[in-house]
């Protein structure tokens, strides 16, 4: 998922960097910590955990591809959106500057896709879902799992969007890449969702105090939260619907026209579904929607099972814990 | 007491996040240059008490009247003053792994002096002296994680001594030390001119070093007095998971 | 997780070469410059990109990066790039736009190698002091410092958990139990690491740490 | 010796990955039901030696002739036989944090018995007995990370006892234990019918428990003999960082 230098145009990178820098600065302000607070080591440790987890690639359903944990939702659920965003940003900074994973110039884009949208957006989805589903273990775990899955799709969609905006991609129709990316990440996202859910379920069973419940918000902020959640979901849905774009209004084209990239349009070949030469066994839109439906189903079932398993394991112990105190 | 207290606890209570009440209403004063031992069964709250002297636990809810509960040299151990009080108090953790975190022994011992803002020269001299005093001079370049437990404990001690604090708060300094290192430590601590607060299960060590003993059990101070009197009292000792040491028996 | 993926710290303080002697700010700015220039060169002008590649190679050899290390890193990096570069023209039904693909590969490789040069010559300590000079917030710098340290703590903790399990693993357990134990181990790793993080933080505070990065080697 | 050795080391040498030679050419035989203490200064190699008895270190390069170097009950402690030998040997780590890894005390003590393939009933009974013997019955549902160091040490001991091994290998069992827990441990170990190998700095404990002492220093066996003779020999003790215990002095 890390975008390498050279893939996005420098203009897009710089724009993303500015946005990300502002987001990180805002996170820092909202967190309002000083060095003596435990938020400092905990954020550092969360970053280290995500960093370590990212070095482990998991094979994907036997396919010779592998992806890794983005961790945005995990961090945001455990530390809150602000520290979560910081933790993921730290991981990306350290990977870029000390391990040469990801790029220096595209650092901003990476932070935006995975840190800002992943943690802020993911947390908004999680909080909104939890508000609807309640505070039970099942609700927490499945909200987080769904948020994790959506955040991966959103990151993939954002990448496509950024790539489409880069000047050097003007010769190509990005929707083909779009399809590939979305199918691939719909599957990757399942891994992300299951890992996020499993870790949270475990932590909830042992140290529930480490996972703060989303606090009740004043009406205005609650609306903002639902709005952000909606945006992320919309982004993910847009990604899933992208292959149908010849029939639906083309969001990407509309945006590029408004932004003054209309000239690109003339160089585009005619868009027809049959023209896609995608190295997939089934037709593109089928594969995408299948992946989408399958992914959603697996994530939901997995999350519920996980939460169940945890409850089975711990019910007697939690009772004992309470009497002990 | 007319002498000003260098360390003072006023009705200190503390509850861990899991709900366990580890300290209940502890009050005590330690005068300058006093050597006090804190003894008691495991789980008595010794480590918890000692960590409060350095403000290492989430600050306890202050009392109703908003007053602090721990004072070092008259300064409240609360957030705004922590840096100041920590400069005066040297703290040894019970578990050496908690204390060592630098990549080499030298870096670890130098960590405190560097944070005191000393210059390179002075820092290096203190690292030398600290390590020499615990007999670990040859270990500067080693990785603390690759030392034996006793060696790690000694590096921790060197790190504390290198800061040259005026108050030493030591949690189980002799655990995992071999007899010779224990004797060296005893010699160093006897020569130490400041105030000393030691939590330990090694009662022989207490007899040799301290003039006052605080018996802690169940989070409360159960006895407080001169070493010989407390440690040779079979009633107190028995009730609180201790034993009258061999040397004080049959007197 | 296997031991084979233990953290591979790039630069070491003991390395000495022409490049290591440069001021830290210069190292970082220079790399950024190369990456930006390489990004600005239009894809059609691949000869210019090629020149840049040669320059980066020279810098790498000056910094004393071994060919084996380079080969290992490139072997991990190139396949993914290869697939990506191919997928774009293929997926957009353009036929193979070889020029475009090759140029993109070249550009990405130049940036990647520049990054490798940087990690080889810039140890963490220098990075932190640069960030400090560039007015990065202290809290953020402290967090980076913590993160780097905690990666090693995490590995240490994993090793301890593993050997503890082994000492009492008598092999009578079912496969299912072994799986659940392994899964539990990962969850515990997280919890123990977080608890240990807090304790390490305490140890630093106990010895007067105030967020600044001080080191014995600073003035040498 | 005519009696079969239950634990045998044959020319055991071990080098840590960082190049440190921690054990040099150690040979020794421990007969069934013998109680042996391993003493020596820190860094002598005691923990390293003990860990070899349980195959916890990367197996040492076997000798030229391909022969193993550590045997338990005649079985080589090498990869293919590790499960077998570990069933017989109960191992206590020096640092309790190294040993505890389950989310609750009960799970941790039950871990070994469950892996022995015992049924639930028996496992629960052993957990009960193990915890009761170290005085920790009320702690089943607690999280080991939230215990005091001494309490953790006792949970570790319970975990070892619950496996009911025929050989006990204990690394510093008394460190961080309070005097009463130490006495309880002594009573348990005296009643224990199997073979015992204990590394410790607590020489009083050795006098009360063991019949044979092995002095280790610098990775080599420096002396080996009956407890009283070795521990009361000022020459041996002094040379290897030890001290003649108070009780054996002036005899
Ligand atoms: N992190 C923690 N969370 C919750 N409870 C804790 C924690 N640490 C210790 N406790 C509990 O607080 C009480 C006091 O613990 P403390 O570590 O102060 O004991 P101690 O006197 O130092 O014992 P020891 O001699 O074994 O070191 C114990 O009952 C312990 O179980
Ligand atoms: N993980 C490791 N890597 C490298 N060297 C090590 C490691 N652990 C220990 N050593 C070294 O091996 C030697 C023996 O260590 P060991 O832990 O066996 O000592 P010990 O006799 O148990 O000491 P103590 O009484 O302090 O526990 C020491 O010199 C130590 O520095
Ligand atoms: Mg303690
Ligand atoms: Mg040892």
């Amino acid at each position: 998922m890390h975008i390498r230098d050279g893939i996005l145009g420098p203009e897009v990178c710089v724009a993303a960097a500015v946005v990300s820098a502002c987001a990180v600065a805002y996170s820092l302000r909202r967190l309002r910590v000083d060095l003596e607070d435990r938020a400092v080591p905990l954020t550092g440790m969360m970053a280290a955990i995500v960093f370590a987890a990212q070095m482990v690639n998991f094979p994907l359903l036997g396919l010779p591809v592998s992806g890794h944990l983005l961790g945005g939702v995990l961090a945001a659920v455990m530390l809150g959106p602000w520290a979560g965003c910081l933790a993921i940003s730290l991981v990306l900074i350290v990977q870029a500057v000390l391990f040469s994973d990801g790029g220096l110039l595209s650092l901003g884009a990476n932070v935006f896709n995975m840190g800002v949208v992943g943690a802020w957006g993911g947390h908004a989805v999680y909080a909104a879902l939890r508000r609807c589903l309640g505070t039970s273990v099942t609700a927490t775990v499945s909200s987080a799992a769904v948020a994790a899955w959506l955040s991966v799709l959103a990151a993939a969609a954002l990448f496509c969007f950024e790539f489409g905006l880069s000047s050097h991609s003007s010769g190509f129709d990005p929707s083909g890449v779009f399809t590939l990316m979305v199918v691939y990440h719909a599957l990757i996202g399942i891994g992300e969702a299951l890992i996020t859910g499993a870790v949270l379920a475990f932590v909830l069973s042992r140290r529930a105090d480490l996972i703060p419940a989303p606090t009740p918000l004043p009406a205005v902020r609650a609306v903002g939260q639902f709005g952000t959640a909606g945006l992320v979901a919309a982004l993910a849905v847009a990604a899933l619907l992208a292959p149908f774009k010849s029939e639906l209004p083309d969001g990407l084209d509309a945006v590029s026209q408004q932004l003054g990239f209309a000239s690109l349009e003339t160089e585009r070949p005619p868009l027809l579904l049959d023209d896609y030469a995608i190295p997939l066994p089934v037709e593109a839109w089928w594969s995408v929607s299948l992946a989408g439906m399958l992914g959603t189903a697996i994530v939901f079932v997995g999350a519920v099972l996980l939460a169940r398993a945890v409850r089975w394991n711990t019910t007697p112990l939690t009772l004992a814990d309470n009497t002990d105190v | 007491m007319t002498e000003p207290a260098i360390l003072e606890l006023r009705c200190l209570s503390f509850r861990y996040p899991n709900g366990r009440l580890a300290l209940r209403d502890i009050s005590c004063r330690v005068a300058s240059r006093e050597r006090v031992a804190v003894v008691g069964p495991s789980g008595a709250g010794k480590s918890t008490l000692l960590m409060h002297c350095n403000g290492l636990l989430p600050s306890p809810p202050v009392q109703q009247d908003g007053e602090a509960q721990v004072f070092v040299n008259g300064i409240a151990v609360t957030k705004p003053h922590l840096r100041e009080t920590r400069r005066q108090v040297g703290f040894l953790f019970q578990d050496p792994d908690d204390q060592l975190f630098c990549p080499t022994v030298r870096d670890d011992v130098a960590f405190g002096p560097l944070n005191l803002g000393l210059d390179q020269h002075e820092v290096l001299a203190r690292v030398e002296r600290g390590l020499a005093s615990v007999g670990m001079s040859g270990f500067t370049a080693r990785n603390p994680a690759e030392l034996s437990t006793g060696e790690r404990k000694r590096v921790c001690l060197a790190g504390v001594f290198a800061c040259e604090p005026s108050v030493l708060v030591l949690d189980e300094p002799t655990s995992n030390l071999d007899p010779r290192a224990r004797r060296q430590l005893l010699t160093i601590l006897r020569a130490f001119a400041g105030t000393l607060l030691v939590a330990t299960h090694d009662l022989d060590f207490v007899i040799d070093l301290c003039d006052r003993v605080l018996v802690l059990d169940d989070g409360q101070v159960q006895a407080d007095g001169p070493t010989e009197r407390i440690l040779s009292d079979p009633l107190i000792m028995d009730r609180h998971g201790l034993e009258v040491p061999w040397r004080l028996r049959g007197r | 997780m296997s031991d084979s993926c233990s953290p591979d710290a790039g630069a070491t303080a003991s390395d000495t070469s022409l490049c290591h002697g440069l001021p830290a700010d210069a190292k970082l700015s220079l790399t950024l410059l190369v990456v930006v220039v390489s990004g600005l060169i239009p894809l059609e002008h691949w000869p210019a990109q090629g020149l840049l590649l040669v320059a980066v190679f020279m810098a790498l050899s000056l910094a004393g990066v071994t060919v084996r290390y380079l080969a290992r890193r490139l072997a991990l990096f190139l396949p993914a790039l290869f697939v990506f570069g191919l997928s774009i023209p293929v997926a957009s039904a353009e036929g193979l736009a070889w020029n475009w693909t090759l140029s993109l590969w070249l550009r990405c490789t130049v940036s990647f190698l520049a990054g490798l040069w940087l990690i080889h010559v810039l140890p963490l300590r220098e990075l932190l002091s640069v960030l400090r000079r560039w007015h990065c917030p202290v809290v953020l710098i402290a967090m980076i410092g913590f993160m780097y340290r905690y990666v090693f703590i995490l590995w240490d903790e994993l090793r301890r958990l593993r050997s503890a399990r082994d000492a009492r693993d008598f092999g009578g357990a079912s496969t299912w139990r072994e799986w659940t134990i392994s899964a539990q181990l990962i969850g515990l790793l997280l919890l123990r690491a977080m608890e240990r993080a807090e304790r390490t933080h305490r140890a630093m505070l106990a010895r007067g740490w105030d967020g600044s990065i001080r080191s014995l080697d600073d003035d040498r």
Side-chain angles (χ1 to χ4, degrees), chain A, chain B, chain C:
Chain A
M1 194 59 238
H2 292 55
I3 306 172
R4 297 283 183 177
D5 276 337
I7 288 177
L8 299 181
E11 68 284 353
V12 177
C13 290
V14 169
V18 171
V19 175
S20 301
C22 294
V24 168
Y26 183 70
S27 290
L28 268 175
R29 248 196 59 204
R30 286 302 297 273
L31 203 56
R32 234 186 275 119
V33 289
D34 62 44
L35 289 163
E36 255 123 61
D37 281 309
R38 56 200 278 281
V40 177
L42 285 187
T43 308
M45 184 42 108
M46 199 67 223
I49 287 166
V50 173
F51 177 84
Q54 291 201 349
M55 301 211 296
V56 188
N57 287 324
F58 50 90
L60 198 70
L61 305 176
L63 293 176
V65 286
S66 62
H68 44 226
L69 194 72
L70 306 193
V73 173
L74 181 64
V77 169
M78 290 195 60
L79 303 174
W82 318 118
C85 171
L86 288 178
I88 304 299
S89 309
L90 289 184
V91 174
L92 293 166
I93 292 172
V94 168
Q95 282 175 334
V97 186
L98 294 175
F99 292 85
S100 195
D101 255 345
L104 286 176
L105 196 55
S106 49
L107 184 60
N110 280 325
V111 168
F112 185 72
N113 296 357
M114 294 185 256
V116 180
V117 173
W120 287 8
H123 188 268
V125 173
Y126 158 78
L129 276 177
R130 248 191 87 164
R131 217 169 284 282
C132 304
L133 296 178
T135 53
S136 66
V137 174
T138 322
T140 310
V141 171
S142 44
S143 311
V146 171
W149 190 68
L150 287 178
S151 78
V152 173
L153 272 188
L158 277 171
F159 166 71
C160 298
F161 187 63
E162 285 154 1
F163 184 71
L165 280 182
S166 301
S167 52
H168 63 259
S169 71
S170 58
F172 299 100
D173 165 27
S175 63
V177 191
F178 221 96
T179 313
L180 271 180
M181 289 290 286
V182 168
V183 173
Y184 180 58
H185 284 92
L187 296 177
I188 292 268
I190 296 174
E192 172 98 10
L194 292 183
I195 293 178
T196 305
V199 169
L200 286 179
F202 186 84
V203 173
L204 269 175
S205 72
R206 304 310 333 159
R207 286 282 306 268
D209 61 301
L210 279 180
I211 298 181
T215 44
L217 290 179
V220 186
R221 285 233 238 116
V223 170
Q225 191 177 66
F226 273 98
T228 320
L231 264 177
V232 174
L235 206 56
V237 171
L240 279 180
L241 292 182
F244 304 103
K245 80 189 208 83
S246 54
E247 287 138 68
L248 298 171
D250 184 358
L252 203 59
D253 281 354
V255 172
S256 45
Q257 258 165 356
Q258 276 166 12
L259 292 179
F261 290 116
S263 55
L264 310 181
E265 189 62 14
T266 53
E267 297 159 19
R268 291 245 166 98
L271 293 169
L272 274 175
L273 272 175
D274 330 29
D275 279 356
Y276 286 162
I278 304 155
L280 280 172
V282 258
E283 273 181 280
W285 65 275
W286 265 114
S287 51
V288 171
S289 353
L290 263 183
M293 285 187 281
L294 202 72
T296 320
I298 294 181
V299 166
F300 265 111
V301 172
V304 170
L305 280 183
L306 265 176
R308 275 279 155 76
V310 166
R311 263 206 309 204
W312 284 331
N313 278 342
T314 56
T315 315
L317 293 188
T318 22
L319 280 179
D321 273 342
N322 290 339
T323 50
D324 186 54
V325 167
Chain B
M1 273 180 240
T2 50
E3 219 174 332
I6 196 127
L7 200 68
E8 183 172 359
L9 310 177
R10 287 191 202 151
C11 306
L12 174 66
S13 295
F14 178 75
R15 190 183 285 283
Y16 274 106
N18 70 351
R20 179 149 297 253
L21 191 63
L23 298 178
R24 313 168 194 238
D25 219 18
I26 292 196
S27 295
C28 110
R29 295 165 57 96
V30 176
S32 176
R33 290 158 167 271
E34 229 178 340
R35 300 161 191 276
V36 182
V38 181
V39 301
S42 14
K46 301 184 291 300
S47 303
T48 314
L49 179 70
L50 262 50
M51 279 203 254
H52 272 296
C53 298
N54 216 357
L56 290 174
L57 289 169
S59 48
V62 284
Q63 289 167 298
Q64 309 280 308
D65 49 0
E67 233 198 301
Q69 298 172 298
V70 186
F71 297 82
V72 170
N73 228 340
I75 305 170
V77 181
T78 51
K79 207 145 193 188
H81 311 115
L82 277 180
R83 298 223 170 121
E84 224 170 314
T85 55
R86 282 184 185 143
R87 269 168 186 267
Q88 302 189 29
V89 179
F91 187 82
L92 179 85
F93 286 77
Q94 184 165 9
D95 183 349
D97 284 332
D98 285 353
Q99 182 153 352
L100 301 172
F101 52 83
C102 292
T104 67
V105 167
R106 191 185 61 172
D107 288 349
D108 213 287
V109 179
F111 187 83
L114 279 174
N115 283 331
L116 288 173
L118 302 174
D119 65 44
Q120 296 275 321
H121 228 71
E122 172 66 12
V123 171
L124 280 176
R126 286 204 184 182
V127 171
E128 289 289 300
R129 254 181 292 152
L131 285 173
S133 69
V134 295
M136 297 282 292
S137 294
F139 288 69
T140 42
R142 296 280 297 274
N143 176 353
E146 294 177 348
L147 296 178
S148 84
T149 318
E151 288 165 345
R152 260 178 280 164
K153 192 94 197 182
R154 277 145 74 188
V155 174
C156 292
L157 282 166
V160 174
F161 293 146
C163 300
E164 301 185 357
S166 58
V167 182
L168 274 178
V169 175
L170 309 179
D171 199 352
E172 286 284 355
T174 57
S175 76
N176 293 303
L177 282 193
D178 61 51
R180 190 196 295 156
R182 181 173 165 285
R183 173 136 318 267
Q184 280 175 351
L185 180 64
L186 195 60
T187 318
I188 296 172
L189 292 182
R190 278 179 148 168
F192 172 66
T195 314
L196 198 62
L197 190 64
V198 188
T200 186
H201 294 302
D202 183 345
L203 300 182
D204 279 327
F205 192 74
V206 175
I207 299 174
D208 284 333
L209 182 67
C210 300
D211 16 72
R212 178 176 159 199
V213 171
L214 221 70
V215 179
L216 209 66
D217 196 357
D218 204 21
Q220 285 172 306
V221 178
Q222 310 280 358
D224 180 354
T227 306
E228 302 245 329
R229 183 167 71 68
I230 302 272
L231 291 192
S232 59
D233 183 339
L235 222 73
I236 298 181
M237 294 286 100
D238 259 25
R239 196 179 310 142
H240 302 298
L242 303 166
E243 276 181 349
V244 177
W246 204 257
R247 283 157 60 188
L248 295 183
R249 277 187 210 169
R251 290 207 176 179
Chain C
M1 278 179 231
S2 70
D3 291 332
S4 61
C5 47
S6 71
D8 154 30
T12 50
S14 58
D15 281 328
T16 44
S17 78
L18 215 57
C19 300
H20 287 86
L22 285 175
D25 313 59
K27 295 176 194 167
L28 201 54
S29 321
L30 201 64
T31 316
L32 264 177
L33 188 72
V34 170
V35 174
V36 171
V37 167
S38 142
L40 284 176
I41 297 174
L43 284 179
E44 307 84 72
H45 296 157
W46 58 267
Q49 200 76 258
L51 279 181
L52 211 51
L53 183 66
V54 173
V56 173
F57 262 122
M58 275 167 62
L60 279 168
S61 63
L62 272 183
V65 180
T66 61
V67 178
R68 247 185 92 218
Y69 176 75
L70 268 188
R72 219 184 64 218
R73 288 302 303 252
L74 281 174
L76 287 177
F77 166 72
L78 286 177
L81 180 63
F82 184 81
V83 171
F84 180 80
L86 271 183
S87 72
I88 289 167
V90 170
S92 42
E94 289 284 312
L96 272 184
W98 279 111
N99 271 345
W100 188 91
T101 306
L102 281 176
S103 308
L104 190 75
W105 286 346
L106 197 57
R107 181 198 272 181
C108 290
T109 311
V110 168
S111 311
F112 177 67
L113 290 178
L116 276 192
W117 179 79
L118 182 68
I119 69 170
H120 198 74
V121 299
L122 187 77
L124 173 78
R125 186 168 39 79
E126 284 188 12
L127 171 69
L128 294 184
S129 57
V130 172
L131 288 180
R132 206 177 175 73
R133 257 174 277 139
W134 291 6
H135 296 289
C136 191
V138 186
V139 170
L140 206 62
I141 298 175
M143 284 175 175
I144 295 183
F146 270 120
M147 171 193 167
Y148 199 78
R149 170 163 299 141
Y150 288 159
V151 169
F152 295 95
I153 290 192
L154 209 60
W155 247 258
D156 193 36
E157 211 55 59
L158 181 63
R159 186 186 52 72
R160 286 153 160 261
L161 282 171
R162 276 234 204 95
S163 84
R165 182 196 57 186
D166 289 350
R168 279 183 287 160
D169 173 15
F170 308 119
S174 61
T175 318
W176 168 246
R177 216 180 107 71
E178 281 185 0
W179 270 97
T180 44
I181 289 166
S182 298
Q184 229 181 30
L185 223 55
I186 293 171
L188 268 168
L189 179 64
L190 178 98
L191 281 189
R192 278 190 43 167
M194 300 207 78
E195 274 151 11
R196 185 131 168 236
E198 280 192 76
R199 284 184 270 145
T200 307
H201 183 235
R202 268 185 217 157
M204 295 175 75
L205 291 175
R207 281 190 276 161
W209 177 73
D210 56 6
S212 37
I213 298 103
R214 298 193 178 86
S215 165
L216 275 175
D217 303 309
D218 264 356
D219 297 341
R220 285 191 198 159

